[in-house]
Amino acid sequence: MPRLAAASLAGTAIEFYDFFVYGTAAALVLGPLFFPTFSPLAGTLAAFGTFAVGFISRPLGSVLFGHIGDRYGRRPVLFASLLLTGLATVLVGCVPSYATLGVTAPLLLLVLRFLQGLGLGGEWGGAVLLTAEHAPAARRGLWASFPQIGPAVGFLLANGVMLALSAGLTDAQFREWGWRVPFWAAGLLAAGGLLLRTSLTETPQFQEITEPARLPLAEVFRGHWRLVLLTAGALAVGYAVFYTVSTWALAYGTERLGVSRTSMLVCIMAAVAVKGAVTPFAAMLGDRYGRRPLCLIGCAATALWMFPMTALLQTAEPLLMFVGFLGAMLAFITMFAVVAAYLPELYEPRVRCTGAAVGYNLAGVLGGALTPIVATALSEGAGPPWGVAAYLTGIALLSLGCFALLPETLPTRTVAEAAEEPAAA
């Protein structure tokens, strides 16, 4: 299990590095480089529009790779998705700016961002099932949480590289070529990830399937459409909160509040680092007390924290902004630490790769694709962006209602076993 967990964590870290480095670039430089004829606000909105395309393609990736995972095994998904995302990311770093290619430049960005999302849509399902379907039932939440640490590691890698380049280069150098370096580095990371995954074996639960689904997507929507919609609505708040902090707040802090790029990146990265460290501990609570209770607590905490977070952001004081971001990240991970075990448990093994991935990535469209755009529009004007806080609170309440309608998946037997193990030890 440690080897499998390490391989799944490394893969999701690399894939989310690819995905996040684009979001950071969109917040910092893509607007003026690829949409120079727009006003600063319109350029930021346009850059976030290309950012959103990756979320729109993620459900398509979950359908494509979910079909492969349910028909031919989880292992092929892990190789194909990582290769696709890595190549698309490297090519983003090679696209000339608007000054060289004109309107073709942003169109190429759109195509490559679409391919990034397609690959990431398959990665999550494959990585999560690799650990969840190998793990013992009493510790499934813990082992399945390791792919959920990957996004934090990927975010820290992406923003750490951006931070180092931003601090070490002049603004002119950063805008001319510095922002491209993290995209080129994705090629080396992808090669390392593919090498790490060569020794992986197929999951035992897939091997036990005697008759794989011929059309997994058709079976999912015929027998589980309500479950797909509920999980998409339930998880939307996690995406909304994460991308508000990691993408919109970065642009708002640097452009509207006058906070330096370095200070904003450090505040956000510190909060995400704590989130990553807390993930396995929250997952262990899910193994002991159930998945659904932690999800309900996380949603309620998010709804209560959005207005305080906005007030702390508006101070433009790094320490206070960090406290605001940290509260949001802790509420977020209370939910998302357990969903890697929760979603697969909701679906039967023959359609699990498709069902879990489609629900998870539809949530990305609902909560992640439009949030930076909506938040940027709502924060236009004088005064604190209370509209952003109200928007996030509304999404949190929607997700709370969806979680309330979902069943608990952790058997009573497993809860009892998990409670007895520390005493036995």
Side-chain angles (χ1 to χ4, degrees):
M1 286 308 306
R3 181 174 58 84
L4 292 168
S8 62
L9 190 159
T12 53
I14 294 165
E15 293 253 15
F16 277 92
Y17 166 90
D18 296 348
F19 203 71
F20 289 144
V21 79
Y22 190 100
T24 305
L28 296 178
V29 298
L30 295 188
L33 286 177
F34 289 88
F35 304 95
T37 60
F38 291 20
S39 68
L41 174 62
T44 300
L45 286 169
F48 283 153
T50 62
F51 174 76
V53 168
F55 286 96
I56 295 169
S57 62
R58 279 174 65 168
L60 299 177
S62 65
V63 170
L64 171 63
F65 290 105
H67 181 88
I68 296 171
D70 286 326
R71 284 285 294 166
Y72 307 106
R74 321 312 191 195
R75 192 170 176 269
V77 171
L78 297 172
F79 288 92
S81 60
L82 184 57
L83 182 62
L84 175 60
T85 308
L87 286 174
T89 305
V90 171
L91 291 174
V92 168
C94 300
V95 176
S97 67
Y98 185 94
T100 303
L101 286 185
V103 72
T104 304
L107 290 177
L108 286 174
L109 277 187
L110 281 172
V111 171
L112 293 172
R113 181 61 173 173
F114 181 90
L115 294 176
Q116 267 193 330
L118 205 67
L120 190 61
E123 167 66 26
W124 186 86
V128 162
L129 294 190
L130 175 72
T131 51
E133 292 188 343
H134 274 98
R139 285 290 176 262
R140 185 176 296 130
L142 172 61
W143 290 115
S145 73
F146 279 84
Q148 297 297 77
I149 302 173
V153 175
F155 181 86
L156 293 173
L157 273 175
N159 286 273
V161 174
M162 281 287 191
L163 179 61
L165 290 166
S166 178
L169 300 175
T170 65
D171 275 349
Q173 290 172 326
F174 184 76
R175 288 176 182 273
E176 184 178 351
W177 59 268
W179 69 272
R180 298 180 183 274
V181 174
F183 290 92
W184 297 335
L188 295 175
L189 293 174
L194 290 169
L195 184 63
L196 184 62
R197 288 180 166 183
T198 54
S199 62
L200 298 179
T201 58
E202 189 52 76
T203 71
Q205 290 191 29
F206 179 79
Q207 291 175 332
E208 292 171 2
I209 299 173
T210 56
E211 188 179 348
R214 291 187 61 190
L215 294 172
L217 183 65
E219 288 196 26
V220 166
F221 281 102
R222 183 168 58 246
H224 306 286
W225 63 269
R226 182 176 179 271
L227 188 56
V228 169
L229 293 179
L230 283 176
T231 52
L235 300 179
V237 63
Y239 282 97
V241 168
F242 188 87
Y243 287 102
T244 294
V245 171
S246 65
T247 303
W248 169 78
L250 178 59
Y252 181 82
T254 54
E255 295 172 8
R256 292 286 304 280
L257 300 180
V259 182
S260 72
R261 252 195 325 250
T262 301
S263 295
M264 288 301 303
L265 285 170
V266 167
C267 289
I268 295 169
M269 288 170 63
V272 173
V274 175
K275 174 193 84 78
V278 168
T279 300
F281 299 101
M284 286 192 288
L285 292 175
D287 279 331
R288 179 180 288 261
Y289 301 109
R291 327 297 191 206
R292 187 168 166 268
L294 266 73
C295 293
L296 293 171
I297 291 169
C299 279
T302 300
L304 293 172
W305 187 247
M306 291 302 96
F307 278 91
M309 183 194 77
T310 302
L312 291 168
L313 169 63
Q314 192 65 22
T315 66
E317 292 291 334
L319 181 59
L320 295 178
M321 289 192 298
F322 164 71
V323 171
F325 298 153
L326 178 61
M329 289 294 99
L330 292 178
F332 160 79
I333 205 56
T334 302
M335 296 173 276
F336 270 55
V338 299
V339 298
Y342 193 19
L343 262 65
E345 289 170 344
L346 288 168
Y347 294 91
E348 57 185 305
R350 58 184 273 119
V351 295
R352 180 173 287 161
C353 195
T354 299
V358 169
Y360 188 85
N361 287 294
L362 278 178
V365 177
L366 295 175
L370 296 178
T371 291
I373 299 172
V374 172
T376 300
L378 290 175
S379 59
E380 179 65 10
W386 300 123
V388 177
Y391 171 74
L392 294 172
T393 302
I395 295 179
L397 294 175
L398 169 66
S399 293
L400 183 67
C402 291
F403 273 124
L405 295 173
L406 287 170
E408 177 57 74
T409 59
L410 189 67
T412 304
R413 174 185 59 81
T414 305
V415 175
E417 288 174 355
E420 290 169 6
E421 280 182 14

